[in-house]
Amino acid sequence: MNRTLIPAALPAVFAALFTPAASQAQTASPSVSIEATTDLRERGLSWSGGKAAMSAEATLPVSPAVTVDLGAATLRDSARHGGADIGLTLSPEIALFSTGGWTLSAGAKGHVFVGASGLSYAEATSTLAYAIGPAQLAFGASFAPSQKAIGGSDLYLEGNAAIGVPGTALTLYGGGGYSTGSTRDTALAAERVRRLRPDGSYWDYYVGAEHQMDRLALGLRYTGTSIDQDRVAAISDRRYLDRHTGSRISAYLRFTP
């Protein structure tokens, strides 16, 4: 589920983004990865209720410029998504241009929450990426138009970086983002907007390290947010809230067949 539900796979995502479109025409092939993590986190928030989770992702090249990502993750009955058991994503993306190390792409992403009613939503995405030597940079924007499922609209701006340590199988990465948006003027909307923005607009950040071992990758990642934990805890209506919005260190193991 890539950038939304599998942030631990960022180094692999960077590798796909920084492959020029012309090269993709010769080398692109379907890929699959399976990951186990101690806590599935997205934009600094836990999507698995602070519990261990499994996820899987497949990337299907449709043409030299078009790919489709499919993702699935166990959400462990997380309150954030109404007790959903499974989260699914469908993400078509098109590379608009690739030149001089820069790649610009645009796409869409649909989120479906199995086991929860009326909480699925969609967003438009765009990414500008740049590669220089062993370092990669990516800047992205995701916008979910006003939808009942999320209580209004949601905008997420982010910056990410990764670098492979020369002479080793180690990749260091980090980044952050800012979440903001509007809220519909209803009680239900005010409740549902807390799914993605528990304390209103907020910042998130992360740093991590990943060690590649043939088809296995072992990683450790720290995430944090600017969310006021005490203020969120004081909200009486907790239908879509949980306490897993603060700092956390999580580990993951990814297998690529």
Side-chain angles (χ1 to χ4, degrees):
M1 303 172 85
N2 170 350
R3 216 160 43 77
T4 42
L5 280 183
I6 315 182
L10 272 172
V13 174
F14 281 134
L17 282 174
F18 300 128
T19 302
S23 298
Q24 290 180 12
Q26 302 173 8
T27 64
S29 59
S31 63
V32 177
S33 64
I34 302 170
E35 182 174 295
T37 180
T38 57
D39 189 1
L40 185 65
R41 301 184 78 81
E42 169 66 10
R43 301 176 185 177
L45 309 178
S46 177
W47 280 38
S48 59
K51 304 173 185 177
M54 295 288 297
S55 59
E57 182 177 72
T59 297
L60 308 175
V62 177
S63 73
V66 178
T67 60
V68 177
D69 287 340
L70 305 171
T74 59
L75 302 183
R76 305 297 303 274
D77 301 320
S78 171
R80 191 170 309 285
H81 301 300
D85 302 307
I86 301 291
L88 305 174
T89 60
L90 172 64
S91 311
E93 184 177 67
I94 181 170
L96 301 178
F97 75 80
S98 181
T99 181
W102 290 95
T103 300
L104 176 65
S105 60
K109 184 169 294 182
H111 302 266
V112 177
F113 301 94
V114 180
S117 177
L119 297 185
S120 300
Y121 67 97
E123 56 186 343
T125 63
S126 62
T127 303
L128 178 63
Y130 181 68
I132 178 170
Q136 299 89 35
L137 302 174
F139 305 93
S142 301
F143 178 68
S146 184
Q147 298 163 68
K148 184 177 180 180
I150 55 175
S153 65
D154 191 78
L155 172 65
Y156 184 64
L157 305 175
E158 63 182 312
N160 306 290
I163 183 169
V165 180
T168 74
L170 186 67
T171 297
L172 304 178
Y173 60 91
Y178 181 68
S179 296
T180 188
S182 65
T183 304
R184 290 184 177 182
D185 190 19
T186 67
L188 177 61
E191 179 182 282
R192 286 190 171 178
V193 77
R194 298 188 187 113
R195 293 177 57 199
L196 304 184
R197 302 194 309 277
D199 190 29
S201 300
Y202 75 96
W203 294 90
D204 72 272
Y205 46 89
Y206 69 93
V207 292
E210 180 176 294
H211 186 266
Q212 189 71 39
M213 302 168 288
D214 193 19
R215 296 184 180 277
L216 291 175
L218 178 64
L220 195 65
R221 184 175 63 254
Y222 169 83
T223 62
T225 72
S226 64
I227 294 173
D228 187 323
Q229 301 293 299
D230 293 335
R231 186 160 54 202
V232 170
I235 297 174
S236 58
D237 188 344
R238 303 187 181 190
R239 184 177 178 185
Y240 299 115
L241 290 179
D242 59 37
R243 59 186 177 84
H244 306 288
T245 59
S247 301
R248 175 66 63 90
I249 295 177
S250 56
Y252 61 90
L253 178 66
R254 186 172 64 253
F255 172 65
T256 305

